[in-house]
Amino acid sequence: MSEILVLVEQVEGEVKKVTLELLTLARTLGTPAAVWAGPGITAEAKARLAEYGADKIYVAGSSDLVDHVVAPKAELLAQLVTSASAAAVLVAATAEGKEIAGRLAIKTDSGVITDAVGLGEGFVADQSIFGGGVNVHSKVRKGTPIVAVRPNSTAPVPAAGAGVEEEVSLTLSDAAKATRVVERVKQEKGARPELTEAAIVVSGGRGVGSAENFSVIEGLADALGAAVGASRAATDAGWYPHQFQVGQTGKTVSPQLYIAAGISGAIQHRAGMQTAKTIVAINKDPEAPIFELADYGVVGDLHQVVPQLTEEVNKRK
Ligand SMILES: Cc1cc2nc3c(=O)[nH]c(=O)nc-3n(C[C@H](O)[C@H](O)[C@H](O)COP(=O)(O)OP(=O)(O)OC[C@H]3O[C@@H](n4cnc5c(N)ncnc54)[C@H](O)[C@@H]3O)c2cc1C
């Protein structure tokens, strides 16, 4: 079977969950080949990639791949698309992944699909658009399909691959080195999972009422081992940092469980969470649009409902 290239997302040598999801997806369509871009691959990382089905691991260890912004990774993938006659390329639908996908499409004269939530036979991708109201099935008709898949769209399932390592030497164009990373600032990371990768997200909206009240949302999130999200109304009010905003102009999440508390369900909010597998809404207004989307709804004051829910979850631990 033809190779399906999967661009590895990693932080300090640790393979991110989305890569394991992409490998799982790639296995259903061909032979997964992981592409490691940059120095620092570890034995653990290789073992993890093989564990989830990577038959081959292309390792391009040049520091140019991380010293310059996105363009070198697009050149690396373009080189591999040709040399490996790849059947498709999968990247994570993150800001970086989508930019790489777009650049790669230009370089290989191929079609690109972004924000896919599924990928089936013949590389037909599923996308969920217009606030989840429309499901689109699309297919690339030109070149090598390049698909950016949203994190949490597929459950990662281990199935050992050979994990044969192949070193890739890369000659980058000057254009790819035009922008250079001059500094990296480490973001303070709490104990909670990263918002876009979390299996459970608990979000609060205007109904939370104040910055202090967000401790109610955080309490439930911590009981569930979840990430905290917020609507734009809440972030614009300064109640929660903007980096946690979910929606059209915020982050896109696709968790197994999304709990929306005090959020009305505006289309711009839905755009960032509609592909969650199960949606629970807590809202005191039974007419709130979020209930149209929710799998389970609780009509009530979140300040009463959420602490009770937290208590119940904690009791069962
Ligand atoms: C270009 C553009 C981009 C945007 N991007 C985003 C985006 O990325 N993300 C985003 O979220 N929004 C975005 N918005 C804003 C969006 O249109 C809504 O204004 C916003 O989502 C509303 O947030 P909310 O649901 O928290 O507030 P509201 O719409 O005010 O809803 C608050 C809800 O809380 C309920 N409530 C109040 N008190 C309680 C209580 N005690 N207990 C339970 N329920 C209670 C109310 O019944 C109500 O349903 C965007 C808008 C535009 C124009």
Side-chain angles (χ1 to χ4, degrees):
M1 276 202 283
S2 310
E3 278 183 13
I4 299 182
L5 302 177
V6 170
L7 181 64
V8 176
E9 294 246 344
Q10 51 96 11
V11 178
E12 292 171 357
E14 197 178 315
V15 178
K16 291 183 93 178
K17 183 169 148 259
V18 65
T19 301
L20 310 180
E21 295 165 11
L22 298 185
L23 288 171
T24 303
L25 201 55
R27 278 200 327 256
T28 63
L29 299 161
T31 306
V35 180
W36 184 280
I41 189 163
T42 59
E44 289 80 30
K46 285 182 217 166
R48 194 110 173 104
L49 294 170
E51 186 190 347
Y52 282 82
D55 221 49
K56 202 179 269 179
I57 304 171
Y58 290 108
V59 180
S62 164
S63 58
D64 277 344
L65 285 153
V66 288
D67 289 346
H68 304 278
V69 189
V70 296
K73 289 182 184 160
E75 285 199 1
L76 165 66
L77 287 172
Q79 182 180 311
L80 286 171
V81 163
T82 310
S83 63
S85 305
V89 181
L90 305 187
V91 300
T94 55
E96 187 188 67
K98 286 194 269 192
E99 189 171 342
I100 292 169
R103 286 169 181 262
L104 179 62
I106 299 287
K107 287 181 191 305
T108 57
D109 198 18
S110 300
V112 59
I113 294 172
T114 58
D115 288 320
V117 291
L119 191 62
E121 207 173 311
F123 300 107
V124 176
D126 305 323
Q127 289 160 300
S128 176
I129 63 163
F130 296 138
V134 179
N135 291 320
V136 180
H137 305 289
S138 24
K139 188 177 155 114
V140 164
R141 295 175 61 192
K142 190 180 180 197
T144 307
I146 298 159
V147 187
V149 184
R150 280 192 180 165
N152 288 317
S153 300
T154 310
V157 179
V164 176
E165 192 177 334
E166 189 173 313
E167 250 183 65
V168 182
S169 64
L170 179 69
T171 317
L172 287 177
S173 69
D174 287 342
K177 298 185 201 169
T179 44
R180 202 163 60 80
V181 177
V182 289
E183 190 189 3
R184 288 180 198 276
V185 181
K186 205 163 179 181
Q187 192 179 4
E188 281 308 317
K189 202 169 166 274
R192 296 191 189 104
E194 210 274 311
L195 181 56
T196 55
E197 290 225 318
I200 306 176
V201 175
V202 183
S203 283
R206 203 192 308 270
V208 174
S210 68
E212 296 71 47
N213 287 350
F214 253 87
S215 59
V216 175
I217 303 295
E218 289 181 330
L220 179 57
D222 291 342
L224 291 166
V228 174
S231 72
R232 179 155 158 186
T235 57
D236 279 358
W239 299 345
Y240 220 67
H242 274 284
Q243 76 210 59
F244 297 101
Q245 183 185 312
V246 172
Q248 187 183 314
T249 42
K251 299 263 169 69
T252 300
V253 299
S254 197
Q256 297 295 318
L257 174 63
Y258 187 87
I259 302 178
I263 293 177
S264 61
I267 190 157
Q268 295 89 354
H269 187 78
R270 291 178 182 211
M273 45 65 79
Q274 74 216 351
T275 54
K277 299 283 178 299
T278 303
I279 296 169
V280 176
I282 302 163
N283 198 301
K284 66 179 184 187
D285 175 7
E287 303 295 323
I290 190 81
F291 286 126
E292 292 163 17
L293 188 68
D295 299 286
Y296 299 97
V298 183
V299 178
D301 185 337
L302 73 90
H303 299 293
Q304 289 170 9
V305 177
V306 176
Q308 284 178 41
L309 191 52
T310 308
E311 202 183 313
E312 277 306 313
V313 173
N314 282 333
K315 262 192 221 164
R316 289 169 193 219
K317 281 190 187 170

